[in-house]
Structure formats: C-alpha cells, structure tokens
Amino acid sequence: MTAAGKKAESSNAARLLILQNMVPLATNLVSSQLEGFSTRLADELFKLSDQSIRPDEAKISFEAHQLVMRNSTAFYRLVAGQINAALSKEVSVFNTKKRTRRDDAQLDTTAQTYEQMEAKILLRNASQALEVLNAEPLVLLNTLIGRILNRMPIDVSQNPFRPEIFVDAVHRAWIELDPDPATHLLVLRLLQPSIFLQLTPILEEINEELMARGIHPESEIASESSHAGATYLPAQKFFSLDPYLQDKLRRVFSGQIELAHSDPHFDLHSLAQVSDTLTNQLDLEADEEDADKASVDQHFFADLLEMQKRIAQQETTHAHYESRLHKVLHAGSAQKLSVVERNTIELLARIFDYIFADQSLGDDIKCMVGQLQIPIVRVALLDRDFFFRENHPARILLDMLGNSGILLDQEASESDPLLGLIGDVVERVQTEFDEQIDLFSDVVSDLESYLKDEEQRAQEAISQPVQTALSEEKMRIAREFAEHDVAIRVETGEVAGFLEVFLQEQWIRILTIAHSVKDEKPHALENALKTMDDLIWSLKPKNSPEERKELISKLPSMLTLLNAWLNAIRWDEPDRVLFFSKLAERHAAMARAPLELSPRRQLEIAVNIAQRASNRRLDRFAQEKVVQEDDEAMKQVAALETGMWLDFNEEDGQVTRFKLAWISPKRSSFIFANRLGDQAFSISAADLEARYRSGTATTLLANSLIDRALTYALRDLAI
C-alpha cells in the first residue's frame, strides 16, 4: 500500500472512531430517560384502553399497559440494547458517498403486506415529527459530521443519529418484548414527540462533545459570508446552481469527457459539445492513473508553487487582465495530468476569464483576484469540493473579494483601509499557502472580523438618526389614526360644514398627540375622543325639550375641555375666535328653536344627512379607485432588506452608493448610510418609490461571484 493510501486509511479510521465514541454517549443518555419514557407510554396505553370505543382495541391497549408495568426492567434493557446496536451499525457502515434516500425505501410497496406498509408509514411520520422538533441540534450535528469528513454538511437521511434510528430501535424493542402482532402498530402510533424519548438533550450533548474535541461548525463562516448572512456585505439574492448545471459539473469531473482547452483570449460562448451518456460519480478517475502518478503530481505542484512565488514578486498593474491558467496547461509537467485535473484547470481558467470581464468589478479587486489564480488551482486540485460547496473557505474568499467591490469607495479606494487589508490577505495566501486549506478559513476570519468591527462602528454612528426616525414614524402613525378617527365621523354626513373644517385642521392635531402618548396616558385619548363626540352631538338637531335641556347642561364642561385642548396645541389664531362665534350662534339657535320640530322638518333633516353621507362614501370610493396600484417600484421597495446596497443617481450625474442601514418598524422610513456610517440620510417609503420610478435609485443584488462565473462557464456545455 502506498503512503498516500495508508494515510487515507488512517484518516478514515480516525474519523470513524470519533463517531463510534458517540454511540455509548447516546446510549447512556437514552438509558437515563427510559423510566420516564416507559411511564409515559404506559399511561398513554391505559388512557387509550379507557377511551377507545372499540372493545378489541381497548382490550389490547390495557394488556399492553399491564405488560409494560410488569416488565419495565426488561423493557429498559431491550430499548437500550436495540438503540446501541442500531447506532453502532449505522456508524460502522457510514461513509461519505451518497446514500439511498430513506423516504424512497420506506415507500417501497413491493412484496409487502398491509401491516408492513402501514408500519413504514407510521415510522416515517413519527421520524419526521421528531426531525421538525429537533431541527436545530440536528442541523448542527449534520454540519459537525460533515466537518469531520472534510466535506459539506450531510443530509439528515445520512446522519447516523437521526430520529428514525431511535424510533425504529424502540419499535423493535417492543416487538421483542411482546410477540403479539396486534400491539406492534398500536405502540408505533403512540411514539409521538410528547411521549417518545427527548432527543434534543441527546443530540445537544453529542454536539457539545464533538465541539469539545475541536470540531466546530464551518457554517460560522459560511452563514455570515456566503448568502445574505452578513449585513456588512451586500445583501445577496438567493442563488444556487440548478440541477442541470450541477449535472454538468459532475460530468466534467467524472473523467469521461474532456473540456476543450482554449487560447489566452478564450471565448466564453464557445464550449465543446459532449456526449450525454455517463455517470455522475466523482471518483472514477482513480483507476485510470499511471503507477508513477504521485511523482507527476509532485512535479506539477512544484511548478505551480514556483509560478505562485513568481507572481507574488511581480508588480501588478491595472492595464489588462487575463487568466494565467491557460498557460499552466502548456507546461511540460502538465502533459501527464489526468483528464479530471486538466478539466479542473480549464474550468478555473474560464471562471477567471469571466471575473476579469465582469464590468461590475473595479480594477483594484480584479488585481487582487488575479494574484490568487495559482493558489486557487492548487486548492481545487487538492479539494474538488471547491466547485460543489458554496461554503468552501477558498470560494468564500473569492466571493468576499467580489462583494467588496461594492463596499469600496471608488473615488478614494487607494487609501481605503479595507483595500489594504485585502492586499494583506492576498499576500498571505500567496506566501504561506502550501497544502493547508485551513489557511483560507483563517484569512476569511480576519477579513470578517474587520468588517464586523466596521459594521458595529457604523451602527453606532447612525444611532441618533434612527431615534429621530422612530419618533417621526410614531407621530406619523399617530396622525394616521387621528385622521381615521375624524374621517369615520365626518363620513356620517351629520357634521356641520364649519365643524368639519375645524376637526380636520385642528382636532386632528390634538388626536395625533393623544395617540402618540396613549401607552403612557391612555385617558388622554379617551378624553380627546369624547370631547370630539360631544362637540359633534351638540350641533345635531335637538327635537325635544329634553334634548335641549341636556345640551344646556353639558355645554359648560364641554367648552372648558375644548378650550383646554386648544390651549395645548397653542391655537391662538383669529380663526379660533371665529370658530367659537359660529359655535355659540348654533347653540343659541337650537335653544330658541320651536319646542317641537314638525315631522316634515325632521324628514328634511334626515334626508339631507343621508345625502351628505352618500356623497362622502362616493368621494371616498372615487379616491380609492385613483390610488395607484402596486407597481414595480413599490414591489422593489417592499423587497428591500437591511444590508442591501443601492445606487442613487443625482441631478449632476454623480452616482453615490449607500447601504440600507435601517428600516422603521412600519417600513415607512428608511435610513441609508455609507460603509462607515458617517454619511447618513433618511427617506420616506413614498419618496423612495418615486426614486425607483424615475430610475434614480437601483438595488445592487450581489449573487455569488463564483456561482455566476460557474453558470456562465458551463452554460453551453451539452448534457
């Protein structure tokens, strides 16, 4: 066996040992819960026997209840043994290759009895319910196991500690305890989350133990740096390679086809057409390698390392960018590379061609990316997951560099400390990278730390504008409530014309204040609304002596409250005198009116009120009809999220770039700021919609740079 083979075997054994060590831990944690689980199951069986309307089910349930109560110790032993055996088996056969989907196996109905089919469906349903309940620790465990295997997070169907294993083991333990088939499906139906073992503490303990052994979730990098997870980077539109493109990638790395190698001025539109007959396995090329392949790799890697050092020493310019990787394939040591290795280099060459042709990237960023070509080739040859994992650290670094082009101030980029840090990162990769891919995780962490600190300072810088905007929104919402309070009263048609003007111009101001302080002073709003209602009532026709007497008795207190509120808003204009003069005239006219209004007069008044109410409703209906329906601009504003970057075109033709730093709770106000937060401004939703309609505001959606490059490089490759 070669040294590389021994190393791989040793590595696989070490990984398997880590997982095997988790089995007794899980079994012990299960054992500590068995008494409680057994009690819950027995209670549920007794309840079912008591409530079931089917005599046979009631009898079977009661007998099962008694069986658990009489044989609790044996049940504990059987459950612990079955779970230990099931977990040990799962870990022993566990590998990194794609597994058959468990759901497909469970739904296989060939040569099965009805009871077997029902058992599979019940097992699946119980497992899925537990997966939902334990989603958070399961996802973390999927990630940690993927980290152990040096690959992306595994699927829950591949997790040897998934809920399905526990449910199936408990069911098998019951079958062993009670051979009577009549109870088997009955008990399986009862294995619901409220009765079953509590898996969350078990999974959490496994996670903690793995992390204590130095295995940490790589998602800490990916979730914040890859897709819209970090507010200090441009918000990214959801993007992933579609299944056709993923299949193309697998074919490229199957070793069965070879990409056409192109000249230094490669045209991305002309990719070779290939046959569509072949497998998507990624490790087929191993059997085709020559006996002296290891020495060829060493020679080629030595040439790459030498080229990397030369590029690091060269002075870079912004004159012209082209991929250096096309030349790599012409090196003498590259002639004996496998098809897969040549495909890897060719695909990377096309990716870098796309990056250098991307007009959205500035020269500074292209210069930095260009210096990473050789290190990225070496990474991809060592770890082909670079092409398949969006959270691969080297891929994250390239994406961060691409997104940094949006953050950098184009006018002053030479003095921008972020650009200086990126330069340091690139230099470190060039000079230090050998074969330890963890170096990329380190430099990504450094870059992220800087951006997080910068983001925190920016958030502190906009704290005052945020407080101002919150106060303004609170008053704006209070006024909307106030306008509604007045509108529903005016719409009845019973409000006199001069009073309607007064309510809309002055009382709305009072109600706005009352609504704004209703949490601290709820009685203020009640008082303001009652005063308004009393005022409106006081001007309605009084058809009986009793109503007139009531008016006279209420007027003094009502007028006192009315003046107090008007003093609060400091309404001292001459219009106030005119208003009270008209009010006094109306009240006096009511007091001098005939004792009884004739039926005819009462009918005329009612008809006039109904007519005014109808006109009000028609006016409101007409206004609602002319309200602009949701257009594209409104949809764009509605889709905005904190962290997105926008370009604003000013009247002088200058384009300024700002980040959406804050959105008010009601989305009526938006605060934008530059990267450092020292230039901030607030804009209303309506004004922002108008900017979108006029084309003077545009959203910058930053898809992953490598995703875009891969899509473009593979788009003409036939499946």
Side-chain angles (χ1 to χ4, degrees), residues 152-168:
M152 62 196 307
I154 63 171
D155 185 80
V156 69
S157 65
Q158 298 174 284
N159 192 325
F161 300 95
R162 61 191 181 277
E164 175 196 354
I165 302 301
F166 291 88
V167 177
D168 187 51

Side-chain angles (χ1 to χ4, degrees), residues 22-95:
M22 298 302 107
V23 173
L25 173 63
T27 303
N28 291 336
L29 292 169
V30 166
S31 298
S32 67
Q33 293 190 34
L34 286 177
E35 182 177 358
F37 166 58
S38 178
T39 301
R40 291 192 299 273
L41 181 60
D43 290 345
E44 199 65 22
L45 286 166
F46 182 80
K47 186 187 301 181
L48 182 60
S49 70
D50 186 48
Q51 298 176 351
S52 178
I53 59 176
R54 295 165 51 193
D56 57 336
E57 185 178 68
K59 179 176 179 297
I60 294 170
S61 301
F62 185 72
E63 290 175 350
H65 160 76
Q66 290 184 314
L67 180 65
V68 175
M69 298 299 293
R70 289 195 306 266
N71 301 277
S72 57
T73 302
F75 186 49
Y76 300 165
R77 176 179 54 79
L78 290 172
V79 171
Q82 285 286 354
I83 287 179
N84 186 72
L87 293 178
S88 299
K89 179 181 178 181
E90 278 292 310
V91 170
S92 67
V93 300
F94 184 76
N95 56 62

Side-chain angles (χ1 to χ4, degrees), residues 485 489 499 503 507 526-540 558:
D485 291 337
R489 289 164 172 80
L499 179 57
L503 294 178
W507 208 255
E526 297 173 7
N527 182 286
L529 289 172
K530 184 178 184 304
T531 302
M532 175 173 62
D533 289 336
D534 287 345
L535 180 58
I536 293 172
W537 171 84
S538 74
L539 293 179
K540 290 181 180 179
M558 183 195 73

Side-chain angles (χ1 to χ4, degrees), residues 630-640 667 689 692-693:
D630 284 2
D631 60 3
E632 188 60 29
M634 295 177 70
K635 293 175 183 177
Q636 287 177 307
V637 172
L640 289 177
R667 295 188 68 90
E689 289 168 6
Y692 271 101
R693 288 191 192 98

Side-chain angles (χ1 to χ4, degrees), residues 159-424:
N159 192 325
F161 300 95
R162 61 191 181 277
E164 175 196 354
I165 302 301
F166 291 88
V167 177
D168 187 51
V170 170
H171 187 226
R172 291 180 184 276
W174 178 265
I175 293 174
E176 193 173 348
L177 178 70
D178 186 5
D180 184 2
T183 66
H184 296 171
L185 292 179
L186 179 69
V187 168
L188 189 52
R189 289 192 192 97
L190 297 180
L191 298 184
Q192 298 301 311
S194 59
I195 299 170
F196 196 66
L197 298 164
Q198 305 303 300
L199 297 185
T200 295
I202 297 173
L203 297 171
E204 287 179 344
E205 188 70 25
I206 294 174
N207 288 335
E208 290 177 6
E209 179 63 23
L210 289 176
M211 288 189 285
R213 294 170 180 246
I215 302 163
H216 298 287
E218 193 177 34
S219 59
E220 291 176 0
I221 296 174
S223 63
E224 295 179 358
S225 303
S226 183
H227 284 288
T231 58
Y232 48 77
L233 288 175
Q236 295 188 4
K237 186 177 180 180
F238 174 77
F239 182 93
S240 64
L241 289 174
D242 63 47
Y244 292 103
L245 289 173
Q246 290 188 32
D247 191 54
K248 288 178 181 180
L249 266 181
R250 292 188 178 99
R251 290 173 185 273
V252 167
F253 293 113
S254 69
Q256 303 293 324
I257 62 174
E258 184 168 5
L259 290 175
H261 299 157
S262 45
D263 60 35
H265 301 288
F266 171 68
D267 180 4
L268 287 173
H269 293 276
S270 58
L271 286 174
Q273 300 296 308
V274 296
S275 166
D276 34 32
T277 60
L278 247 206
T279 175
N280 61 3
Q281 296 298 322
L282 302 180
D283 53 356
L284 294 180
E285 74 277 7
D287 295 334
E288 301 176 354
E289 295 181 351
D290 297 329
D292 62 343
K293 187 68 179 63
S295 62
V296 174
D297 285 346
Q298 291 176 4
H299 186 192
F300 180 69
F301 267 76
D303 285 350
L304 284 179
L305 185 58
E306 194 61 33
M307 185 181 295
Q308 179 178 322
K309 292 177 180 177
R310 268 200 320 271
I311 294 175
Q313 295 170 355
Q314 292 174 353
E315 182 178 356
T316 58
T317 66
H318 295 166
H320 179 65
Y321 298 100
E322 64 179 31
S323 176
R324 300 172 183 265
L325 304 184
H326 300 291
K327 298 177 181 178
V328 168
L329 287 169
H330 298 297
S333 57
Q335 301 309 305
K336 293 185 179 180
L337 293 176
S338 69
V339 171
V340 170
E341 289 167 332
R342 291 197 299 271
N343 282 348
T344 300
I345 297 170
E346 175 64 18
L347 187 55
L348 283 173
R350 298 179 181 194
I351 287 173
F352 280 103
D353 280 334
Y354 172 86
I355 293 173
F356 295 143
D358 191 339
Q359 297 298 316
S360 67
L361 299 178
D363 287 343
D364 291 322
I365 293 300
K366 288 180 181 178
C367 177
M368 301 296 181
V369 171
Q371 296 176 57
L372 293 176
Q373 291 177 86
I374 302 303
I376 294 299
V377 167
R378 298 174 62 209
V379 167
L381 290 172
L382 290 168
D383 182 8
R384 215 152 288 131
D385 270 354
F386 171 86
F387 294 99
F388 294 91
R389 284 175 50 201
E390 294 183 349
N391 61 358
H392 192 287
R395 186 162 167 171
I396 290 174
L397 178 60
L398 288 178
D399 279 336
M400 290 186 75
L401 296 186
N403 290 335
S404 294
I406 295 177
L407 276 64
L408 289 167
D409 184 347
Q410 299 301 316
E411 296 298 323
S413 59
E414 294 295 336
S415 59
D416 195 312
L418 174 58
L419 187 64
L421 177 62
I422 292 174
D424 293 341

Side-chain angles (χ1 to χ4, degrees), residues 440-459:
F440 285 89
S441 298
D442 294 341
V443 296
V444 164
S445 178
D446 292 343
L447 189 53
E448 281 195 320
S449 296
Y450 175 85
L451 290 171
K452 284 181 181 178
D453 290 343
E454 196 174 67
E455 170 69 11
Q456 185 175 356
R457 292 194 299 270
Q459 287 296 318

